Amino acid sequence: MSKELPDRLPELLETFFCHRLRAQQAVSAHTLCSYRDTFRLLLRFVEQKTGRAPSQQRLQDWNPSRLLQFLDHIEQQRGCQVRTRNSRLAAIRTFMRYVAQQEPSAVALTQSVLAIPMKRFDRPLLGHLSRPELEAILAATDSTTPSGRRDHLLMSLLYNTGARVSEILALQRQHVRQQPTPVIEITGKGRKQRLLPLWKSTAHELKTHLAGLPPDPATFIFINRFGQTLSRSGVEKRLRLAVRRALPA
């Protein structure tokens, strides 16, 4: 790749997040988190390969060969599924389209990256759990710990509402309404909003959980032990743990 490319990668990343995604496109908080995680992982990977810190990395460091190595790393070393790989690639593609507009001298690089194909995969038919199986998973969460109580609430909301994991993780305090009847406000794909009613048991559990969170309306309901919004991979790990505990010995 040409060595004449200007070293504007940190600047382009900053303007991509602050101006393109937030100010111009006003993407959802979940999308921002997904993009943030993608580039955090990519910056760390490139640092390991080149020895250059994120603030020192250059556009040519993100060439197709290295990006393919990164995508392989996502699958093989991190154990992610093809769906996650494709999600990471989609974020990189969006950024490269932005780079092509802002830095014409990088068009050759961006076009070669945009040519990286999505990976095809089989889409298995989704099954469903019986009520006893769901109740066994809920019972397997540890109600004696904060994380266990959080997990029980998370799975109860998923069970109660049928919402997507990403929709539940995007919930903030301001999206919960206790009166006149308990509901949560969900923003789905295409920014479509809907109100989902809660069972009394779920509403009571949610109210108890909210009592332990900061009063700021923008406070996310589900956070990890570091105070950050819980990720999809974090939910998957917690669910797998609950399933293992629910299985008969």
Side-chain angles (χ1 to χ4, degrees):
M1 200 62 60
S2 172
K3 295 183 179 180
E4 298 301 319
L5 291 181
D7 298 340
R8 294 187 58 203
L9 180 57
E11 174 193 343
L12 287 167
L13 269 176
E14 181 179 357
T15 56
F16 175 67
F17 273 91
C18 296
H19 299 291
R20 174 54 63 89
L21 295 182
R22 290 180 177 172
Q24 296 178 1
Q25 296 183 337
V27 301
S28 67
H30 173 71
T31 299
L32 277 176
C33 288
S34 177
Y35 276 52
R36 177 204 64 196
D37 291 344
T38 295
F39 293 109
R40 176 176 55 82
L41 291 170
L42 178 55
L43 287 165
R44 184 187 303 165
F45 178 82
V46 173
E47 181 178 12
Q48 293 172 347
K49 293 297 182 181
T50 66
R52 283 189 280 275
S55 60
Q56 299 172 325
Q57 290 178 25
R58 303 171 296 182
L59 280 171
Q60 53 262 48
D61 290 331
W62 290 19
N63 57 67
S65 176
R66 184 159 290 123
L67 291 176
L68 284 169
Q69 292 176 357
F70 169 70
L71 295 172
D72 289 341
H73 168 78
I74 290 292
E75 284 190 82
Q76 298 168 10
Q77 273 68 55
R78 294 185 61 84
C80 296
Q81 298 180 353
V82 174
R83 191 187 303 272
T84 301
R85 174 199 185 274
N86 287 345
S87 175
R88 302 303 187 201
L89 177 56
I92 294 170
R93 281 179 166 183
T94 302
F95 173 66
M96 285 299 178
R97 292 189 187 98
Y98 174 74
V99 171
Q101 296 173 356
Q102 301 299 314
E103 190 52 67
S105 64
V107 167
L109 170 68
T110 59
Q111 290 304 309
S112 61
V113 172
L114 292 172
I116 298 175
M118 293 289 183
K119 197 168 186 178
R120 301 183 67 177
F121 62 96
D122 294 330
R123 299 176 182 269
L125 180 66
L126 295 178
H128 67 278
L129 297 175
S130 66
R131 181 165 182 169
E133 288 172 332
L134 281 166
E135 290 177 346
I137 292 174
L138 287 171
T141 57
D142 186 357
S143 61
T144 65
T145 66
S147 62
R149 292 190 291 272
R150 176 206 62 198
D151 295 346
H152 189 283
L153 172 60
L154 172 65
M155 295 175 200
S156 295
L157 277 172
L158 290 169
Y159 180 26
N160 182 162
T161 64
R164 298 181 180 90
V165 172
S166 59
E167 294 172 340
I168 295 297
L169 294 181
L171 282 177
Q172 299 175 352
R173 177 184 282 276
Q174 62 189 335
H175 300 141
V176 179
R177 303 182 189 176
Q178 299 287 355
Q179 300 294 335
T181 57
V183 297
I184 56 174
E185 180 182 326
I186 291 290
T187 301
K189 290 187 175 181
R191 297 187 177 277
K192 294 180 180 178
Q193 296 181 321
R194 62 192 191 276
L195 296 177
L196 302 178
L198 301 179
W199 301 326
K200 287 184 179 180
S201 58
T202 310
H204 176 73
E205 193 175 349
L206 179 56
K207 185 176 182 179
T208 301
H209 181 74
L210 288 174
L213 297 179
D216 186 346
T219 297
F220 283 98
I221 293 176
F222 295 105
I223 58 177
N224 60 23
R225 58 196 175 104
F226 302 108
Q228 301 170 333
T229 308
L230 198 62
S231 65
R232 286 177 61 91
S233 60
V235 173
E236 183 179 357
K237 290 178 182 177
R238 303 304 298 179
L239 178 57
R240 289 183 183 276
L241 177 61
V243 169
R244 285 199 300 268
R245 288 175 174 171
L247 291 173

